[in-house]
C-alpha cells in the first residue's frame, strides 16, 4: 500500500512553525530526520517530539508510527484543524556546558527562556530581573542609549511581575542591569541565563499529572535530572516530596498503575494512576532515560564543578564524535548521544527475581541505587511485543502487564533514545 502523504506542523522552542509533509506510515524518527536537514543540526538527542493527548503532553516514542499519537481525522485526511507536534527539551542535563553544539544550545536556551516566562517562583523576584538582563545581552548584544523602550517586558518577564511592578518600573530598572553586561558575548550571556534559570524550581523539569485513584485526586509528578518531585493536596494541605534518585528504592508499573517506594515519604509507598497505558509507558521510559543520563553525566558534572571551584574554569568544548577518548584532553566532552547510549554507568538499576518465563506472573520491581557499579542486561524481545500489545488496546484490568525488563542500558529498546 502506498505511503500516503499528510501535513503537520512542528513548533520549535523559539516558537518557529515548520510546515512538514510526512507519510501516513512514517514514524517519529522520520520527522526527526527532516528536522536534522531543515535546521542543519546534527544533535537533537536532548529533545523530543510532544503532542497533546488527553489534555496532557505526551512525548512520542520515535520508533512508533505517528498515527499512534495523532487523531483519526489526520489519518483519514479529514482534519480541518492543524495537527501540531512540539519539539521540546525531553532530557535536562545538570550542567548546560554538556550540551553538544551551539545550535542545540540555542534551542535549549529558547526552551528555558519560554519556561522562565511561565515560571511562578514568587520569592525569587529579583532573579527574574537578572535573567532578563542576560537574555537581553544574549538576544540584542550590548546596551545602547535610546530615547524609547528597546524591548517589550512581555518577552522577558513573567506576566505576574509585569502586573505587580508595571511596564514603566521594568523599563526603568532593567537597562541598568543590561548595561553592566557590556562586552559579554551572546553565547556567554545565554550560558549564564541557563545556569541561573536552573535555580528556579519550576523550570528544569517536566510535569506529569497523575491520579491518586482512578481518574480522581490529581497529583503532580515533576521529573528532573536529579530525581522526582511529587506534589499532592491532602485535606487542604500541600505535601511536596523531593526524591533524588539515590532515595528511590523502586518503581513498579502495571497497566496504568505506578507504585513508588522511596525514603522521606509520608507513606511506605505511593500509588498513582496515569491517564492511559500509553501515558504510563512513556512516563516510565522517560524516567528510565533521565536516570541513565544522570548516571552517565555524573562524572563530567563533578569534573566541571571541580574546575569552577578551583577558579580555573574555561569553557569546555564538545567533540564532533570522531574521537570519544575522554582521556586525551581534560577539556573535551563526549557527544550527548554517547552519554545517552553509554552501556557502562556508575549506578545500578535492576529488576530482581524476574525471569523471561515469569513475565506475566506479577509486576516488575525496578530497584534503583546510584552509588554501586552497574551490571549489564538486555531487554527480552518478548517484552517489546507485550508493549506493542498494550499499545494496541489489550485490557489492562487482567493479569497481563508490561514489565520494564532490567531497567538497564540495552541493545534492544523501543525508545529510539534508549
Amino acid at each position: 500500500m502506498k505511503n500516503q502523504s499528510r501535513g503537520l506542523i512542528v513548533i520549535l522552542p523559539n516558537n518557529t512553525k515548520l510546515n512538514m509533509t510526512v507519510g501516513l506510515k512514517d514514524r517519529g524518527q522520520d520527522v526527526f530526520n527532516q528536522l536534522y536537514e531543515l535546521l542543519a543540526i546534527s544533535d537533537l538527542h536532548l529533545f523530543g517530539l510532544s503532542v497533546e493527548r488527553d489534555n496532557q503532553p505526551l512525548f512520542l516514542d520515535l520508533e512508533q508510527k505517528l498515527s499512534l499519537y495523532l487523531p483519526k481525522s489526520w489519518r483519514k485526511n479529514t482534519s480541518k484543524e492543524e495537527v501540531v507536534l512540539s519539539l521540546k527539551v525531553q532530557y535536562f542535563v545538570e550542567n548546560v556546558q554538556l550540551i553538544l553544539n551551539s545550535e542545540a544550545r540555542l534551542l535549549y536556551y529558547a526552551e528555558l527562556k519560554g519556561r522562565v516566562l511561565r515560571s511562578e517562583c514568587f520569592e525569587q523576584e529579583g532573579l527574574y530581573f537578572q535573567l532578563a538582563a542576560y537574555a537581553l545581552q544574549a538576544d540584542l548584544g550590548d546596551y545602547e542609549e535610546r530615547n524609547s523602550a528597546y524591548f517589550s517586558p512581555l518577552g522577558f518577564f513573567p506576566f505576574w511581575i509585569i502586573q505587580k511592578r508595571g511596564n514603566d518600573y521594568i523599563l526603568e530598572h532593567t537597562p541598568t542591569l543590561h548595561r553592566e553586561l557590556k562586552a559579554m558575548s551572546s553565547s556567554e550571556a545565554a550560558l549564564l541565563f541557563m545556569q541561573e534559570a536552573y535555580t528556579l524550581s519550576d523550570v528544569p523539569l517536566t510535569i506529569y499529572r497523575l491520579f491518586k485513584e482512578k481518574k480522581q485526586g490529581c497529583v503532580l509528578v515533576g521529573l528532573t535530572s536529579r530525581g522526582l518531585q511529587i506534589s499532592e493536596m491532602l485535606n487542604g494541605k500541600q505535601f511536596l516530596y523531593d526524591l533524588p534518585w539515590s532515595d528511590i528504592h523502586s518503581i513498579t508499573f502495571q497497566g496504568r498503575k505506578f507504585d513508588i517506594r522511596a525514603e522521606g515519604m509520608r507513606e511506605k509507598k505511593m500509588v498513582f494512576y496515569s491517564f492511559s497505558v500509553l501515558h504510563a509507558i512513556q512516563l516510565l521510559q522517560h524516567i528510565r532515560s533521565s536516570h541513565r543520563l544522570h548516571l552517565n553525566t555524573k562524572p563530567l558534572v563533578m569534573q566541571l564543578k571541580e574546575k569552577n571551584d578551583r577558579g580555573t574554569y574555561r569553557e569546555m568544548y564538545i567533540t564532533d564524535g570522531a574521537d570519544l577518548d575522554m582521556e586525551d584532553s581534560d577539556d573535551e566532552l563526549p557527544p550527548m548521544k554517547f552519554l545517552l547510549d553509554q552501556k557502562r554507568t556508575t549506578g545500578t538499576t535492576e529488576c530482581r527475581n524476574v525471569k523471561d518465563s515469569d513475565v506475566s506472573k506479577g509486576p516488575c520491581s525496578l530497584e534503583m541505587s546510584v552509588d554501586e557499579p552497574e551490571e549489564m542486561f538486555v531487554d527480552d524481545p518478548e517484552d517489546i511485543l507485550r508493549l506493542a500489545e498494550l499499545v494496541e488496546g489489550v485490557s489492562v484490568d487482567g493479569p497481563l502487564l508490561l514489565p520494564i525488563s532490567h531497567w538497564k542500558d540495552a541493545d534492544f529498546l523501543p525508545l529510539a533514545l534508549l
Side-chain angles (χ1 to χ4, degrees):
M1 181 178 177
K2 185 178 178 182
N3 190 13
Q4 303 174 34
S5 62
R6 295 288 187 272
L8 57 79
I9 292 175
V10 175
I11 300 180
L12 304 183
N14 58 13
N15 292 323
T16 298
K17 290 185 177 182
L18 299 178
N19 290 293
M20 302 179 66
T21 300
V22 297
L24 188 59
K25 298 180 181 180
D26 281 0
R27 304 176 187 272
Q29 188 60 51
D30 295 312
V31 178
F32 252 58
N33 293 340
Q34 286 197 49
L35 289 174
Y36 287 134
E37 295 183 12
L38 290 172
L39 302 177
I41 186 172
S42 60
D43 189 351
L44 289 172
H45 291 94
L46 293 178
F47 296 84
L49 291 170
S50 176
V51 64
E52 285 291 324
R53 184 82 174 254
D54 298 317
N55 295 317
Q56 180 162 249
L58 177 69
F59 281 107
L60 276 61
D61 179 339
L62 298 184
E63 293 303 313
Q64 295 289 344
K65 291 183 179 180
L66 295 171
S67 56
L68 176 65
Y69 301 95
L70 300 182
K72 291 183 179 180
S73 57
W74 181 81
R75 298 196 292 270
K76 296 179 179 179
N77 206 22
T78 59
S79 177
K80 296 181 180 179
E81 299 181 356
E82 294 179 337
V83 175
V84 177
L85 297 177
S86 297
L87 184 71
K88 293 183 177 181
V89 173
Q90 187 170 3
Y91 303 103
F92 290 97
V93 290
E94 293 182 44
N95 191 315
V96 292
Q97 296 167 49
L98 296 174
I99 298 175
L100 282 173
N101 55 45
S102 57
E103 291 85 0
R105 187 177 287 189
L106 283 175
L107 289 175
Y108 199 93
Y109 161 74
E111 168 107 2
L112 290 188
K113 186 180 176 184
R115 287 171 172 265
V116 167
L117 295 183
R118 299 187 296 272
S119 175
E120 295 183 344
C121 294
F122 304 117
E123 71 284 358
Q124 295 178 266
E125 182 180 347
L127 178 58
Y128 292 97
F129 282 84
Q130 186 62 60
L131 287 171
Y134 287 139
L136 287 168
Q137 185 70 19
D139 296 352
L140 305 179
D142 288 345
Y143 171 81
E144 296 179 3
E145 294 290 345
R146 295 176 175 87
N147 294 325
S148 59
Y150 64 100
F151 71 93
S152 168
L154 280 172
F156 295 87
F157 287 89
F159 187 64
W160 63 268
I161 290 184
I162 298 174
Q163 283 187 313
K164 179 179 180 179
R165 298 296 179 181
N167 285 335
D168 291 343
Y169 179 92
I170 291 172
L171 294 172
E172 177 184 354
H173 294 281
T174 306
T176 302
L177 296 173
H178 183 192
R179 189 185 297 113
E180 293 175 355
L181 303 178
K182 185 177 181 180
M184 181 180 289
S185 69
S186 175
S187 60
E188 184 179 0
L191 181 63
L192 288 172
F193 176 93
M194 291 186 284
Q195 289 175 335
E196 292 300 318
Y198 266 35
T199 64
L200 296 170
S201 61
D202 59 356
V203 168
L205 82 169
T206 302
I207 296 177
Y208 289 92
R209 286 187 295 122
L210 303 177
F211 300 106
K212 284 290 289 183
E213 304 291 340
K214 293 185 178 180
K215 302 295 183 181
Q216 294 180 356
C218 183
V219 176
L220 299 180
V221 176
L223 174 58
T224 76
S225 62
R226 299 186 179 188
L228 300 177
Q229 295 178 357
I230 301 174
S231 176
E232 63 173 333
M233 295 293 295
L234 292 175
N235 301 321
K237 295 182 179 180
Q238 183 180 29
F239 289 83
L240 180 63
Y241 306 97
D242 191 355
L243 305 176
W245 296 121
S246 56
D247 285 357
I248 300 176
H249 300 314
S250 66
I251 299 179
T252 306
F253 161 69
Q254 183 174 13
R256 296 194 301 112
K257 181 182 176 182
F258 280 90
D259 290 352
I260 300 178
R261 299 174 186 266
E263 296 286 346
M265 296 197 309
R266 188 174 54 85
E267 303 170 349
K268 261 190 171 181
K269 70 175 181 178
M270 302 186 77
V271 179
F272 306 121
Y273 296 86
S274 66
F275 278 83
S276 67
V277 174
L278 189 61
H279 280 91
I281 292 171
Q282 187 273 318
L283 173 56
L284 200 58
Q285 289 175 335
H286 196 182
I287 292 174
R288 181 173 63 173
S289 297
S290 296
H291 181 225
R292 175 187 304 161
L293 184 61
H294 163 79
L295 295 175
N296 289 343
T297 58
K298 189 175 180 179
L300 297 172
V301 171
M302 293 177 64
Q303 179 184 342
L304 288 169
K305 185 178 185 301
E306 289 173 359
K307 284 180 174 289
N308 291 338
D309 290 344
R310 291 198 307 263
T312 58
Y313 165 79
R314 47 191 189 88
E315 185 168 348
M316 303 178 76
Y317 66 90
I318 310 297
T319 69
D320 60 4
D323 182 50
L324 299 182
D325 185 1
M326 288 179 285
E327 295 180 358
D328 289 346
S329 170
D330 288 338
D331 294 326
E332 187 171 293
L333 299 177
M336 192 59 64
K337 183 180 186 300
F338 176 73
L339 294 173
L340 280 166
D341 294 343
Q342 191 174 347
K343 299 300 180 189
R344 302 296 295 179
T345 66
T346 58
T348 297
T349 54
E350 61 181 294
C351 178
R352 300 183 180 179
N353 302 322
V354 177
K355 300 179 181 178
D356 293 342
S357 59
D358 295 333
V359 161
S360 63
K361 294 182 180 179
C364 175
S365 180
L366 308 172
E367 303 294 341
M368 300 177 58
S369 171
V370 299
D371 296 320
E372 303 171 6
E374 179 177 352
E375 301 176 8
M376 290 176 58
F377 289 82
V378 178
D379 281 15
D380 192 296
E382 291 183 4
D383 296 348
I384 309 304
L385 294 177
R386 288 183 174 275
L387 184 151
E389 290 173 354
L390 284 172
V391 170
E392 292 299 325
V394 175
S395 172
V396 299
D397 295 324
L400 179 63
L401 60 100
L402 174 69
I404 302 299
S405 300
H406 314 309
W407 191 300
K408 288 291 183 179
D409 299 304
D411 295 321
F412 186 90
L413 290 171
L415 187 64
L417 289 175
L418 298 188

